[in-house]
Amino acid sequence: SVSTQDPALHGQYSTQVSILSAMELIWNLCEILFVEAAAAGPLLLRLLDWVRLHVCDVDSMVREVLGSENPSKHKLFWNVVDIFVLQGRMDEARHLLSKEATANPTSMNMYKILDDLMKKMPVPTLGNTQTLTELELKWQHWHEECQRYLQDGTFASNPHMESICKILLGDEDAILEKKELMTTWYHFLVTRLLYSHPTVKPMELRFYAQSSMDLFLGGESSPEPLDMILMAAFEFEMHQVIKECSIVLSNWWFVAHLTDLLDHCKLLQSHNLYFGSNMREFLLLEYASGLFSHHSLWQLGVDYFDHCPEYGRVYLELHIERIPLSTEQKALKVLRICEQRQMHEQVRSVCKIMAMKALRNNRLGSALSWSIRAKDAAFATLISDRFLKDYCERGCFSDLDLIDNLGPSMLLSDRLTFLGKYREFHRLYGEKRFPEAARLLLTLMTAHIAPCSFWMTLLTDALPLLEQKEIIFSAEQTYELMRCLEDLTAGNPDKQKFQEDDVETTKVEMLRLALARNLARVIVKEGTVEGS
Amino acid sequence: QDNRISIWSAGDLGNVGLNGEYHGEPHLLCDIQHNGDVMDMQFLDQERIVVASSTGTVTIFRHHQNNQTLSANHRWEKAHHHVDQDTSCGGAACTGVVCNNPEIVTVGEDGRINLFRADQKDTVRTIDNADSSTLHAVTFLRTTEILTVNSIGQLKIWDLRQQRNEPSQIFSLAGDRVPLHCVDRHPNQQHIVATGGQDGMLSIWDIRQGTMPVSLLNAHEAEMWEVHFHPSNPDHLFTCSEDGSLWHWDASTNVSEKPSFLHQGGRSTTYLSHSTINQSVVSAWLSNDPTKDRMEITNLIPNQTLSVNSLDVLGPCLVYGTDAEAIYVNRQLFA
């Protein structure tokens, strides 16, 4: 956002940066108080780190002062020293003060004393090198020493140093004077704790927090949402923190993840909400559902649902069916997710949608490919019927590249098998392999691979074979054909109509004639085999 | 949706300002809005890029290097479309594009093949209904012949010199007609072709003989989106998949000297190739002696999460992009 030229965009980015900073602030505090559950002693150190990291940006001011020729003469010099002290950064403060001392030899004495006090200040340490009681004792002595120096008027001639000494003593007014530098009440809180109650216990924080906020704001301004959230954290009201964040933030991202973290640390009592799932799952479900409306983040939503043991799967099933399948590639990704989770219904549903789309666009090969993926025999039958219909209407097959190359997928549905075999028949016929073609044709009918509606067409296809000069059908086969024909005509319920239809009747008659003639020829032929 | 075509510099050029903080990281030079998903793209020449869109449009973008901008040079709207009146736009995704300056060939979900020339406004030639299923990818076999793969597991050769709209040859997988998603031709030996399928299987074909693949190699656990022979080191092949892995297949014959488990990146495993046809060919991809040939296969992605959708390789550099909105650049492929 630093680099954006466009002011509107800049404004937008700054807002987002500030929201993100606020989130980081809250998150880190929650980590310190809830997750790490820092105890008295380390607690203060953590809070100091927190303030230094998040609350004010002193670096630019520091750079400016240090970079100048005469740092101690810089107008912001004392501001920098003060902020170092307020943040407990003693070494850095002392370093700067030494510059002042060298520049101003008259204050050398004062400087030495102050420097010594700052060096000796007892602070909590990590690890077990001292107990809290030891620390408190040491601190008490140090505090009294500072008190003595102040009362003796050691720093009387230098107001800046005197103010620093007062801060070291935890004088609230002195600290409050530096309000502008601290900028926030929680910085004030931590500074106060550093210089008056370094061994503060976690449960005591709430009192100090409340009073700090009151003193800092001083009735001039009212607390903002961020302040309320932080206050709730200091009061260890986890649910309140979550609730306030939910109200203020525009999406569930922050709250869902924070709750998840707290839940994993076993810090949230499982509050059963009205519909049975717990708060963590509820928030994760909400967040993930939000992701699903995004054109590419839905894939992340899947992972979130996977981690919701109670309702995750149901939500996933519902959401995944509603992803717009704009391209085949997207559909394939959705399918892969469903297959990995054994969501068979959704697999079938997605494949059916894609197959229907393909069918409507006359992409029969694509439609078949989708049915194969879903192992959807019914749809494969539908597609085969389409092909057959096309054939009947046009007299030739469309999409031969598909039908000729069905391979094992032919077995997916009977109708598809028939289609493949029927095409094979035509191929054999085209290659003049008549006996094989004839055998295949017969098998199609006798093995009931062909649907009854197609028998007439098949028998009609047999005609040219019957009319050939050489005999193709054996007697046995001819009898079979005749039987098929009779089955067909006998089985027809609407005999009346059938007989009146001229074309149909002619066809049947021609067939009967051809069959009879063939039978005659073949009987003779077969009868004379044993001849000369 | 805000889809963009972007040009990045992979850290080689001087870094602009900012104390060299971004040294080595890809750095965005310029970008431009794109309508629809980018399904495929390829450089036409030093300055122009051809892009295939999910709306069915094919666009040529020009990269102006002097002021680092991109502009749309030419557009073929609805190059791929369905005839269905129900859909609002009737567009069909353009799934693959391949260039051989000045010729451009595209294929799409409408089963159509389009032939364009960069300098001509109108389509040079269209083969409608070239395929009854979706064409997933296209590549040049020779200057006048192209290879396509479709969603019923067929590899087809088309001779563009011929006017008839039929493929000159059709190859298909034995067994189930698993859809094929990608195809690439060996850079030097034009009869060797590699394809990747929906089941993650890598197939190597010798198109001079037979109609079935020479080798079938069990590779990924999900769709193989792209396969590429290394252009100057063709004993090396790269594949990427929906399962989030990117594999480097090393068929160079001195593999046996290298210790087989020392490789950058992920785990290394060794497979034997299963071949079905006997022949004596120089290329490591087609030879079938199981005792002699060991192909070394490495997964270049240590922690795989989401799909690797696309990859490209040139010299020592490998680039790939994932569904996790990340682009990775590996500049020391053979180190």
Side-chain angles (χ1 to χ4, degrees), chain B residues 144-163:
Chain B
T144 52
E145 287 182 324
I146 55 171
L147 286 163
T148 61
V149 288
N150 66 12
S151 55
I152 42 176
Q154 293 173 324
L155 171 67
K156 296 183 181 175
I157 302 182
W158 302 80
D159 189 339
L160 299 173
R161 287 166 304 191
Q162 299 194 4
Q163 275 315 303

Side-chain angles (χ1 to χ4, degrees), chain A residues 328 333 361 363 401 405, chain B residues 84 129 134 156 177 309:
Chain A
E328 290 200 354
K333 286 179 188 277
N361 289 325
R363 314 254 83 247
D401 63 335
N405 290 291
Chain B
D84 181 19
N129 233 347
T134 300
K156 296 183 181 175
R177 299 286 190 258
N309 292 321

Side-chain angles (χ1 to χ4, degrees), chain A residues 90-198:
Chain A
M90 291 310 183
D91 291 336
E92 291 165 81
R94 288 169 54 211
H95 175 72
L96 266 188
L97 272 179
S98 68
K99 294 202 195 292
E100 155 75 0
T102 46
N104 240 348
T106 47
S107 54
M108 184 57 76
N109 238 357
M110 270 191 289
Y111 160 71
K112 279 212 183 113
I113 297 173
L114 189 58
D115 183 75
D116 189 55
L117 284 176
M118 287 166 75
K119 193 168 70 175
K120 284 196 312 200
M121 175 172 146
V123 278
T125 52
L126 294 171
N128 297 325
T129 51
Q130 62 176 0
T131 63
L132 277 182
T133 342
E134 279 174 22
L135 173 63
E136 274 176 15
L137 264 170
K138 276 197 225 166
W139 191 83
Q140 202 53 42
H141 283 172
W142 174 83
H143 189 92
E144 281 163 10
E145 196 180 339
C146 294
Q147 188 75 31
R148 269 201 307 276
Y149 278 117
L150 184 67
Q151 281 171 348
D152 284 347
T154 324
F155 303 109
S157 55
N158 189 324
H160 291 293
M161 290 209 199
E162 193 177 47
S163 142
I164 290 176
C165 188
K166 284 187 181 165
I167 293 173
L168 290 181
L169 283 170
D171 182 327
E172 276 171 16
D173 296 321
I175 301 176
L176 268 176
E177 265 175 39
K178 312 292 173 189
K179 227 166 136 170
E180 314 289 305
L181 285 177
M182 292 187 291
T183 67
T184 61
W185 64 269
Y186 30 98
H187 189 319
F188 175 56
L189 164 67
V190 176
T191 307
R192 249 181 103 196
L193 291 172
L194 174 63
Y195 292 113
S196 46
H197 310 280

Side-chain angles (χ1 to χ4, degrees), chain B residues 8-15 22-27 29 316-317 329 331:
Chain B
W8 301 74
S9 118
D12 211 342
L13 305 175
N15 303 295
Y22 300 109
H23 179 67
E25 272 197 26
H27 164 62
L29 295 174
C317 298
V329 179
R331 306 177 68 90

Side-chain angles (χ1 to χ4, degrees), chain A residues 207-475:
Chain A
F207 307 113
Y208 294 117
Q210 190 60 54
S211 57
S212 300
M213 182 159 88
D214 293 337
L215 282 168
F216 194 89
L217 295 179
E220 288 166 7
S221 44
S222 48
E224 294 192 352
L226 177 60
D227 298 324
M228 299 316 295
I229 294 171
L230 293 171
M231 182 62 71
F234 285 120
E235 291 173 349
F236 283 80
E237 298 281 350
M238 266 176 259
H239 288 282
Q240 187 68 15
V241 172
I242 295 171
K243 181 174 155 194
E244 298 272 348
C245 288
S246 310
I247 296 172
V248 168
L249 294 167
S250 56
N251 74 29
W252 295 107
W253 173 71
F254 180 76
V255 175
H257 288 95
L258 181 63
T259 313
D260 182 59
L261 177 66
L262 295 176
D263 186 79
H264 280 298
C265 297
K266 312 244 186 296
L267 292 169
L268 291 178
Q269 309 135 328
S270 49
H271 247 58
N272 268 335
L273 299 173
Y274 289 119
F275 39 86
S277 74
N278 61 29
M279 165 128 59
R280 167 190 171 268
E281 182 155 324
F282 169 71
L283 290 171
L284 282 177
L285 289 171
E286 287 293 312
Y287 176 57
S289 301
L291 287 176
F292 263 88
S293 54
H294 193 273
H295 64 94
S296 68
L297 292 176
W298 59 270
Q299 288 176 299
L300 300 177
V302 173
D303 278 331
Y304 281 95
F305 282 140
D306 282 344
H307 285 90
C308 293
E310 284 213 44
Y311 290 110
R313 191 182 167 94
V314 172
Y315 268 67
L316 181 59
E317 285 173 4
L318 290 173
H319 275 102
I320 208 143
E321 277 185 343
R322 280 156 183 75
I323 294 175
L325 303 170
S326 46
T327 62
E328 290 200 354
Q329 192 170 12
K330 198 162 175 194
L332 288 172
K333 286 179 188 277
V334 171
L335 274 179
R336 200 47 79 171
I337 290 170
C338 294
E339 280 170 359
Q340 280 169 351
R341 291 160 182 75
Q342 274 94 46
M343 291 163 57
H344 301 298
E345 263 209 46
Q346 280 68 33
V347 169
R348 255 204 309 278
S349 156
V350 170
C351 286
K352 205 166 253 159
I353 294 172
M354 296 308 288
M356 275 313 297
K357 248 199 252 189
L359 208 56
R360 263 209 315 269
N361 289 325
N362 224 21
R363 314 254 83 247
L364 294 177
S366 293
L368 186 63
S369 159
W370 289 107
S371 333
I372 293 173
R373 177 89 183 245
K375 304 203 202 334
D376 192 342
F379 213 88
T381 306
L382 196 78
I383 297 168
S384 320
D385 278 338
R386 252 297 263 282
F387 271 114
L388 292 169
K389 195 167 86 123
D390 278 350
Y391 170 76
C392 287
E393 284 171 9
R394 284 191 280 161
C396 64
F397 285 105
S398 61
D399 305 316
L400 280 177
D401 63 335
L402 171 65
I403 308 177
D404 277 344
N405 290 291
L406 283 173
S409 57
M410 211 190 320
L411 301 172
L412 183 60
S413 110
D414 284 343
R415 197 58 52 82
L416 197 56
T417 316
F418 168 63
L419 181 64
K421 292 282 172 200
Y422 188 49
R423 165 69 196 145
E424 201 181 318
F425 162 71
H426 279 276
R427 239 208 336 263
L428 289 170
Y429 188 93
E431 291 169 10
K432 300 209 191 303
R433 289 152 69 182
F434 298 129
E436 286 173 65
R439 257 198 306 275
L440 181 56
L441 187 63
L442 202 51
T443 324
L444 287 177
M445 282 188 284
T446 52
H448 293 284
I449 301 176
C452 287
S453 50
F454 225 76
W455 279 21
M456 202 57 211
T457 318
L458 289 176
L459 287 168
T460 321
D461 284 332
L463 260 178
L465 289 173
L466 292 165
E467 304 285 329
Q468 292 276 344
K469 233 181 14 179
E470 49 170 299
I471 300 169
I472 298 166
F473 285 102
S474 72

